[in-house]
Amino acid sequence: MTTLFIFLLILSVLVLIHELGHFVAAKAAGVRVEEFGWGLPPRILGKKFGETTYSINLLPFGGFVKLTGEDMDQGGGDTEDLGKTGMPDPKSFASKTPLQRGIILIAGVFMNIVLAVVIFYIFMFVNGFKTFQMPLIFDYDFKFGDTTKIGTVISGIQPGSAAEKAGLTLGEAVAAVNGRKVTDIAQFKSVLAEYNGAPVQLTLTDLKDTTYTKIRDVRVSPTKDEDGKPIIGVYLGESVSISYKKPLDRILVGFYHSYNVMGYSMNTLGQMVSLSFKTKDISPVSESVSGPVGIYNLVDMVLKYGGPNAWLTLFDYTALMSLSLAVVNILPFPALDGGRAAFVLFEGITRKKPNPKMEAAFHRLGMVFLLGFLILITIRDVTR
């Protein structure tokens, strides 16, 4: 029950902050906000203050903002946005300039970034201006701070392998083999090969313990692969931590770390998309994202195994998700804020208003694709 509550709280905060950005920007531009809702319909309670109805809805996932004239397939501000006087409604979203509409559309992304910056300031202050370990899927040069890499993190274990029998777990890093320090995959393989399949003692550091003091020794009896090389049946990956030690780094740590994380996220997403095109397989992209079930499981895992710093880990994770939401929403894909902003940008450059019905059709198709993708991701998370 605690996991469900925290899961819903995190999602609600992220989406409500996003929608609050649209709400404030719309109000500032003089656009009528018909409804600002917590959760998704059907509505449970609603109270109108001024021209806006504030509602609580049945499905407790985030929220929404309904603006007059935002629904493009209802005329896009041409005829259906005419008021009782026959003149265009000045409070309609569609009647505003491209610049005003663009600001309203990207205001949600801006608010998610602001939330992440604020959370990172708090997190870094509490955690001594350093991050926890972050998986490094692709090599990336972080612009700010000092990075420390660990290249022997257990990211996968083969069923029935020597590693599984010895009780190795995901998230542990191999620090030494028979007392000899190893720092990357190549070095680990080289040292393991020197013992030619004889049992070895591995010194493991549990990176899930954010104090990095949970160290244990495990004896493993390697087997040999087809080429006769000793293996223990693990997949090793890299992780990185960032320290912000300089005075200026600490003053701007919320902005610097947000920049680092957003840059890394966009680089990783780009690499995944490129890999999918090269292999003609969508699995690299689908494997890199999680739906609601995956997020719920991650929250549950943090609460179960995060120890005394579980709350701080969740705090950090909320900021990361807020940035991820910002990155995804700014993509120029139909139905997303970035896709809608792209049409507004086109209008601002060409001085020609896109066909409202065509634009609405694009966004409907985009929404169908996104919902279908979300269903597939959810099915994958459930089967796991």
Side-chain angles (χ1 to χ4, degrees):
M1 197 65 183
T2 301
T3 300
L4 179 61
F5 173 76
I6 294 177
F7 165 73
L8 293 176
L9 179 63
I10 290 174
L11 286 188
S12 294
V13 167
L14 293 179
V15 179
L16 281 174
I17 284 292
H18 182 92
E19 296 301 330
L20 181 63
H22 295 311
F23 175 84
V24 172
K27 287 285 189 181
V31 174
R32 182 183 300 107
V33 180
E34 297 179 6
E35 185 174 357
F36 182 57
W38 180 81
L40 299 177
R43 183 188 298 177
I44 300 175
L45 296 171
K47 181 69 174 178
K48 192 168 186 178
F49 294 94
E51 59 188 13
T52 304
T53 298
Y54 298 87
S55 64
I56 298 176
N57 298 275
L58 181 62
L59 303 177
F61 298 101
F64 66 93
V65 171
K66 183 179 180 182
L67 308 179
T68 297
E70 186 182 22
D71 197 348
M72 290 161 296
D73 54 1
Q74 291 182 351
D78 295 330
T79 57
E80 281 78 353
D81 280 331
L82 298 180
K84 294 180 180 180
T85 62
M87 299 296 292
D89 185 349
K91 289 196 171 184
S92 168
F93 173 83
S95 70
K96 300 302 177 180
T97 67
L99 178 60
Q100 288 174 313
R101 281 181 280 140
I103 291 174
I104 293 171
L105 288 170
I106 66 173
V109 169
F110 175 77
M111 285 298 290
N112 279 127
I113 294 173
V114 169
L115 175 64
V117 169
V118 171
I119 291 178
F120 281 141
Y121 264 113
I122 299 171
F123 173 86
M124 291 296 175
F125 180 78
V126 174
N127 203 49
F129 293 94
K130 64 181 184 297
T131 69
F132 294 147
Q133 291 292 328
M134 302 183 295
L136 196 61
I137 302 172
F138 297 100
D139 283 335
Y140 182 74
D141 184 18
F142 293 93
K143 186 172 182 179
F144 300 107
D146 300 315
T147 59
T148 302
K149 288 184 181 180
I150 297 179
T152 54
V153 183
I154 299 174
S155 58
I157 300 174
Q158 293 179 340
S161 65
E164 185 181 59
K165 293 175 182 176
L168 275 64
T169 62
L170 300 179
E172 290 185 305
V174 182
V177 178
N178 282 349
R180 296 173 59 181
K181 185 178 179 181
V182 290
T183 58
D184 56 44
I185 299 172
Q187 192 176 22
F188 172 76
K189 288 182 177 180
S190 175
V191 174
L192 196 64
E194 291 182 21
Y195 294 97
N196 197 30
V200 293
Q201 180 174 282
L202 303 183
T203 301
L204 305 170
T205 303
D206 189 356
L207 300 183
K208 298 188 295 295
D209 174 22
T210 54
T211 63
Y212 310 130
T213 58
K214 197 173 181 180
I215 300 172
R216 66 186 182 120
D217 292 323
V218 176
R219 195 160 186 80
V220 182
S221 299
T223 57
K224 292 190 176 183
D225 62 12
E226 297 176 350
D227 299 322
K229 296 179 180 179
I231 59 172
I232 64 172
V234 294
Y235 300 97
L236 298 181
E238 291 185 323
S239 71
V240 62
S241 63
I242 309 174
S243 297
Y244 298 93
K245 300 176 181 178
K246 300 175 183 177
L248 184 60
D249 288 353
R250 294 191 173 193
I251 292 172
L252 299 174
V253 68
F255 296 96
Y256 279 3
H257 191 58
S258 295
Y259 181 93
N260 277 340
V261 172
M262 183 172 286
Y264 175 60
S265 297
M266 295 188 74
N267 176 268
T268 300
L269 181 61
Q271 296 263 29
M272 289 293 187
V273 172
S274 176
L275 185 60
S276 289
F277 274 112
K278 287 179 181 178
T279 59
K280 297 180 180 179
D281 183 4
I282 198 174
S283 57
V285 175
S286 65
E287 291 293 328
S288 65
V289 297
S290 291
V293 174
I295 296 172
Y296 176 89
N297 287 335
L298 185 55
V299 171
D300 187 52
M301 184 179 71
V302 171
L303 290 175
K304 286 181 178 177
Y305 306 111
N309 284 332
W311 68 272
L312 194 56
T313 303
L314 287 174
F315 213 51
D316 182 41
Y317 182 56
T318 300
L320 292 174
M321 283 208 300
S322 190
L323 278 181
S324 297
L325 185 60
V327 169
V328 170
N329 263 283
I330 203 62
L331 294 176
F333 189 85
L336 298 175
D337 292 338
R340 294 179 183 275
F343 278 93
V344 172
L345 180 63
F346 171 82
E347 179 185 344
I349 294 174
T350 64
R351 305 294 180 185
K352 295 181 180 179
K353 198 174 186 69
N355 184 296
K357 292 185 178 179
M358 181 192 73
E359 183 179 350
F362 267 105
H363 293 313
R364 277 197 298 269
L365 287 174
M367 182 59 70
V368 169
F369 176 86
L370 291 174
L371 288 175
F373 188 67
L374 179 61
I375 291 171
L376 290 176
I377 295 298
T378 302
I379 292 173
R380 184 208 64 189
D381 289 341
V382 170
T383 55
R384 281 177 171 176

